[in-house]
Amino acid sequence: MTLEIKPTWNAVNRVLTIINLILFMVLNGQGFDYKKVKGKTVPLYLNLVLLFVLGFAVFVTLYGLLK
């Protein structure tokens, strides 16, 4: 069963990494080269924490700009 779940978690982790890179790009105002970060991995739990932190930062920034 573990062998069946591992590819799914790896795919989810890759998607979360891309989402986090996009959120970081929005906060920084700079782009990134996907080819440079393609092979790098972040543990899933850190990726989820980073997603919440960056998502909250983007929300606060956009709320401040629109208010």
Side-chain angles (χ1 to χ4, degrees):
M1 178 142 176
T2 307
L3 293 175
E4 296 172 9
I5 294 175
K6 190 171 181 174
T8 304
W9 282 115
N10 286 338
V12 168
N13 198 19
R14 243 181 272 127
V15 170
L16 285 174
T17 301
I18 292 169
I19 291 171
N20 286 334
L21 284 171
I22 291 170
L23 288 174
F24 189 70
M25 181 183 68
V26 167
L27 287 173
N28 261 354
Q30 297 177 352
F32 65 93
D33 188 10
Y34 181 70
K35 291 179 183 177
K36 288 182 181 178
V37 295
K38 185 177 180 182
K40 301 193 184 210
T41 58
V42 178
L44 184 62
Y45 64 92
L46 288 178
N47 229 342
L48 288 172
V49 170
L50 187 60
L51 177 67
F52 288 126
V53 169
L54 289 174
F56 181 72
V58 168
F59 173 75
V60 168
T61 303
L62 290 177
Y63 183 76
L65 289 174
L66 296 175
K67 188 173 179 184

